[in-house]
Each structure stands twice: as C-alpha cells, then as structure tokens.
Amino acid sequence: MRINIHILKSAFALFLVFDILLTLTSCSVHDSEPQVYFTTGMKIGEVSSHSMICWTRLCKSPKAVPVKHARKERPFRSPLEFDENMPANQMEGAVEGSAGFIKLTLSAASDTIVIPWKKVSENTDFTFCENITGLKENTSYQILVEGRYDEQSPIAQLTGTFKTAPDPDHMAEVNFTSTSCQYYWDHDDSIRGFKTYDSMLKLKPDFHCQTGDFVYYDKPGPIAINTELARHKWHAMNSWPSLVDFYRQVPLYIQKDDHDMLKDDASPLKEPLGEFTFHDGLKVWYEQVPVKGKPYRTVRWGKDLQIWLVEGREYRSENISPDGTDKSIWGKEQKKWFVETMEASDATFKVLLSPTPVVGPDRTKGKNDNHANKAYQTEGDWLRNFLAQQTNAFVVNGDRHWQYVSKDLKTGLMEFSQGPTSDEHAQGWKPNDYRPEHHFLRVNGGFLHVNVYRQDDVPTIKFTHYDVDGNEVHQETIKAVAYELSSQL
C-alpha cells in the first residue's frame, strides 16, 4: 500500500497547529486563574492565656515593588527625586490587594480550631482580622492561613506559630522584645528590610511590644495625604521579609503614636495632612493592626509579669493648652482604669509600655507632647509618683530616637527607651550629653529585651539593650522588692 506523502505532511502540519493551539489555550486558561498571595505577612496579636487575634491581607503579587530611588544621608534617609504624584501601585514597597477568601486553622497537640472561608474586600483593604477564643493556657499552637480568589483558583498558604500566656498562678520564665520608630526609607538591609527584626528573632521572644511610629505618614516617599497613600505605608513596611518572618512567629502587642495617626504631635483636633484627617487615621489603624476593642489594655504573663499598654493619642488634650489638673494625655476614663487595674494586680513585676516618655529626660526645645515635658508636668508628676508607689513597677517607652536607661531623681522610677529600629533613624540627642538621670545613653538604633525569671527562687527582671546586629550594649538586672541593681556595659 502506497501512502501519499503530501497528505501525510499536511496531516502532520495540522496536528502541529492543533497541538500548539491546545497548548496556548491551556496556558491561557491556567494563567488566567486568579492567584493570591500573603506578601504582607500575618500578625499574631493580643495573645492572652486563652485568646488571640489573627490579622492578614490578601495580595495580588508575590513581591512588593523593589526600591529604586537613592536616599539622602542619615538621619531620615528619605528618597531623592521621589515623585509624590506617581500612582501608588508604582511606588517602592507597593503591594496591591486582592479580593478573595481566607481560612484559618489553629492546631495544638490536642486542640484544633478552624475558621471557615471568609470573604475579604476592598472596603477594608482586603484585610482579615479574627478574634480566636477558647485556647489553652501556656500552649504552643501552629497556625495555617489559607487564601484563594474563588473556589476554582489556587490556594496560597502561610504558616506561623505562637504560645499562649501562662495563667496568673503559673510560675514561668518570660521574655519579650520591644521596638519603636521605623521609617520605610531608613531600612538598613536592602533585601531583608531591618536587621533588628532578624536579631530579635534569634532570641526567640515569647512576644513583642511595638510602642508606636510603626509607619510615618508625614515623611516623604510618599507623604500620606489620603487614605490610599496611608495604606501604602503599611503595605510597604509589612512586606519587608524580616518583618514577615518575625511576626508570623512572635505574637505582637502594638500601640499607635503620632506618626501612625496623622503627623508629628498628632491629637484629635490636629489639622489634616492634605485630605487625610485624624478620623481617617483611626480607621486605617484599626484596619491594619491586630487590635479590637479599647486601645488601652493589660495582659498577664504568669505569676511574675503583667504589662500595661496605654493609649496616648485618642483622648489627649491639645498640647498648647495650659497645664493643669484637667490637662491629660490619657483622659479620665483611661487613668481610672490604669489605677484600678495596677493596684489590683498581684504580679511580681509591673511594666508600663508607653508610646512616649514618662521619665525622660527629653529635649526642652521643640517637644511638648509627653509626660516628660513641661506641657504635661502636672499629669507627669502624678504618674511618676503613682508608679513609684507600686512595687516593682517600670516603664518601657517609645518615641525617642536614642536608647537610654534613666532613673527619676525625685521618685526613683526607672524608664527604659528602646531607641529606633535602625541606626539610620537615630537622632535628637547629643551622644555625650549624659544627665544625672542617665544610667545608660546611646544615640543609635536597636531594641530592648526583657527577661523575667526566678534566680534561687527570687523573682528577677533583666533589661538588656541590643544594637541592630544583636550585640548587647547595656544590661540592668533587678531583683524583686529589694531592687538590688547591677549594671554591665
């Protein structure tokens, strides 16, 4: 039998064309399937002995827009020749959100909790924030976050881990880290973002306290003159790999300060930043953080530690108002709550996390918005005296761009300032300007590590300052009640 070679060639050609078309069609169908990502990570927030809050966000792309602009020299290394009017999705750090659904699974050795698929939308910047209760105390949990555009699309996954707090009658060693003041353009690692986060993670803290100025709305690159640009600030900061890795493994308690709300020294009556108002700042804040309910709260971590996280922007008087008994940073309701909860506590050590200084010393020129300033001296004197009367009470404060340990000359109250998250952000105090209050002074970036433990059955608290690379630069060890203090440089 003879085969017509021309027919065979034609058939083969048709087969090739059909195969190519089939392949192209398959690729087109596959590529058109909407894919979502967790590029801005997750936050495990407000962990107590029996509850937590999970925050995350669905994203369109696996990576943020990379850094292209050169920066000016420190401090505040803002971008050079930055076009504030370019589309937000083209700016460095941009991560567009995606509609879709999120599912959450928490699992421990004998406990599993599943939050079924929930829809996220543009109205809340595609964020997901779920309060989980019924957890077991002092228990390690694995967390799995899953996301998808719809039932037919691929599923993205992000895993994390955390441990719930011990109950108040449980004697357990506890350690935590604390930071403040981080500006996207002051990053010190072009790939990871901020060295401090990787250094803290090596210490395996039980939780982390971020005392404010997580973002800077009023600094260029861009300046947040509207809600879209304010949200962009969070997307850019959260997309740094060092933050993604840290916050999926370390529970967070976050507080807001002026730059997270609006601009420097923000208060409810402060004029807008462009068209962005204080009210807008509140809305974006609660959209972007794992916090629900009252912004001031207290959390117990076993028998020996209780922390207080206070609110310094929502209830404050105007900074320019005359000082007096009615002028307040906290407001009457919060002050009443603070006194009642602290006096009722039987925790060995009581630590106030304050977004702004209580002891200082602070600059006398150009600063008038915290308890260490003359503008709020009446409330500051009351607060320092009250805390000094409590047994084993200390202050850890944010907002200052230098590290210090200070002891109030009148009351003996001790305060520990973490300093900024990077060296690039350090400024505001002369390195050799030691005051009588200072036990330690360093005008550079890093973080604070706090360790509560029992030594020969004596409750002990140790405050250690680190630089951004994780090197110890100062340490204060204090035994309960006796206040036997040892310092190491």
Side-chain angles (χ1 to χ4, degrees):
M1 182 178 68
R2 299 179 63 183
I3 299 175
N4 190 319
I5 191 67
H6 298 293
I7 295 176
L8 185 61
K9 285 183 178 180
S10 298
F12 185 67
L14 286 172
F15 172 77
L16 286 177
V17 170
F18 178 77
D19 185 61
I20 291 170
L21 288 173
L22 183 63
T23 301
L24 289 173
T25 303
S26 299
C27 289
S28 175
V29 171
H30 177 75
D31 291 344
S32 68
E33 291 180 351
Q35 176 74 61
V36 297
Y37 305 90
F38 292 110
T39 313
T40 49
M42 76 163 82
K43 301 286 193 309
I44 300 164
E46 301 299 297
V47 169
S48 69
S49 54
H50 299 286
S51 65
M52 60 83 74
I53 296 175
C54 179
W55 176 97
T56 190
R57 176 175 179 264
L58 281 188
C59 305
K60 281 185 179 179
S61 56
K63 292 183 179 180
V65 174
V67 173
K68 301 181 289 289
H69 284 83
R71 298 177 289 167
K72 78 175 191 65
E73 294 303 313
R74 60 177 288 192
F76 305 146
R77 301 195 62 189
S78 55
L80 298 172
E81 300 180 359
F82 187 89
D83 180 6
E84 293 277 341
N85 296 313
M86 77 171 80
N89 64 0
Q90 296 177 19
M91 294 178 176
E92 282 98 323
V95 185
E96 291 188 74
S98 172
F101 298 83
I102 290 177
K103 177 182 176 183
L104 180 65
T105 304
L106 272 67
S107 57
S110 58
D111 190 21
T112 300
I113 297 174
V114 178
I115 305 300
W117 294 101
K118 287 194 173 185
K119 185 177 182 179
V120 298
S121 70
E122 186 177 10
N123 292 335
T124 55
D125 194 31
F126 311 104
T127 61
F128 168 97
C129 192
E130 188 76 18
N131 185 29
I132 313 295
T133 60
L135 305 182
K136 297 181 179 179
E137 67 98 16
N138 200 35
T139 299
S140 294
Y141 281 85
Q142 301 295 317
I143 181 168
L144 171 65
V145 178
E146 297 176 277
R148 66 187 186 192
Y149 183 80
D150 55 30
E151 292 183 0
Q152 285 74 44
S153 61
I155 293 177
Q157 294 185 338
L158 184 64
T159 60
T161 183
F162 69 97
K163 189 175 184 179
T164 53
D167 279 338
D169 59 354
H170 188 133
M171 283 189 294
E173 181 175 349
V174 180
N175 79 99
F176 70 93
T177 50
S178 188
T179 58
S180 182
C181 303
Q182 55 189 37
Y183 171 37
Y184 176 83
W185 290 99
D186 278 337
H187 59 268
D188 51 11
D189 186 313
S190 60
I191 297 174
R192 300 284 298 165
F194 291 89
K195 296 178 183 178
T196 283
Y197 280 95
D198 288 334
S199 296
M200 290 191 297
L201 188 56
K202 293 176 182 177
L203 298 177
K204 299 181 179 180
D206 293 305
F207 60 89
H208 177 69
C209 297
Q210 208 285 335
T211 57
D213 293 340
F214 193 89
V215 295
Y216 276 77
Y217 288 153
D218 54 342
K219 289 197 179 298
I223 295 174
I225 59 172
N226 56 45
T227 295
E228 180 186 25
L229 295 177
R231 286 170 167 171
H232 166 81
K233 293 274 189 173
W234 290 91
H235 306 161
M237 184 62 71
N238 285 330
S239 64
W240 282 121
S242 62
L243 273 74
V244 173
D245 289 345
F246 183 82
Y247 284 121
R248 71 184 183 86
Q249 299 176 69
V250 181
L252 168 68
Y253 304 97
I254 189 169
Q255 297 167 281
K256 60 178 170 293
D257 201 17
D258 46 358
H259 301 283
D260 305 306
M261 285 299 299
L262 191 64
K263 53 185 172 180
D264 198 38
D265 296 352
S267 60
L269 297 180
K270 195 82 169 180
E271 65 275 7
L273 185 61
E275 63 184 54
F276 192 68
T277 67
F278 188 91
H279 177 75
D280 294 330
L282 271 177
K283 179 181 182 298
V284 173
W285 169 262
Y286 285 107
E287 184 182 84
Q288 301 294 332
V289 298
V291 177
K292 292 178 178 287
K294 292 286 187 181
Y296 52 87
R297 62 268 194 210
T298 181
V299 186
R300 188 70 177 261
W301 274 80
K303 186 174 181 62
D304 289 331
L305 177 65
Q306 187 165 345
I307 62 171
W308 280 259
L309 302 118
V310 290
E311 168 57 40
R313 295 294 159 184
E314 290 189 42
Y315 313 118
R316 70 163 50 216
S317 306
E318 288 304 295
N319 295 333
I320 60 174
S321 300
D323 189 31
T325 55
D326 291 331
K327 188 174 183 180
S328 178
I329 292 176
W330 289 0
K332 292 181 179 179
E333 180 182 312
Q334 182 175 198
K335 288 172 71 173
K336 182 175 182 291
W337 162 85
F338 182 74
V339 170
E340 290 176 350
T341 55
M342 184 161 276
E343 289 183 338
S345 173
D346 63 353
T348 307
F349 294 109
K350 304 173 182 181
V351 178
L352 165 62
L353 279 301
S354 173
T356 53
V358 173
V359 173
D362 195 15
R363 291 171 287 178
T364 56
K365 184 178 180 181
K367 296 303 299 180
N368 68 341
D369 80 328
N370 64 64
H371 287 117
N373 299 147
K374 292 286 186 183
Y376 289 94
Q377 184 164 345
T378 301
E379 187 171 75
D381 287 343
W382 163 79
L383 180 55
R384 287 183 288 273
N385 281 305
F386 173 77
L387 288 169
Q389 293 167 11
Q390 310 307 306
T391 305
N392 304 321
F394 305 93
V395 180
V396 172
N397 73 288
D399 196 40
R400 300 301 77 188
H401 298 179
W402 61 94
Q403 294 181 322
Y404 67 79
V405 178
S406 61
K407 187 173 184 178
D408 185 49
L409 300 180
K410 293 182 179 179
T411 65
L413 176 66
M414 295 191 70
E415 178 171 82
F416 301 81
S417 173
Q418 320 99 322
T421 305
S422 64
D423 292 341
E424 282 77 358
H425 204 72
Q427 59 88 41
W429 196 270
K430 294 180 180 179
N432 297 321
D433 187 9
Y434 280 83
R435 304 288 177 86
E437 299 95 325
H438 283 133
H439 281 218
F440 165 65
L441 173 66
R442 178 176 176 267
V443 186
N444 247 325
F447 63 97
L448 180 70
H449 178 258
V450 183
N451 187 203
V452 175
Y453 58 98
R454 297 252 169 160
Q455 187 173 32
D456 299 326
D457 204 33
V458 177
T460 304
I461 189 167
K462 181 166 64 177
F463 298 88
T464 307
H465 279 92
Y466 288 83
D467 67 15
V468 298
D469 293 310
N471 301 305
E472 293 185 21
V473 292
H474 185 78
Q475 189 178 102
E476 305 267 357
T477 303
I478 305 169
K479 295 183 178 180
V481 182
Y483 280 77
E484 296 177 10
L485 180 65
S486 66
S487 298
Q488 294 180 349
L489 291 175

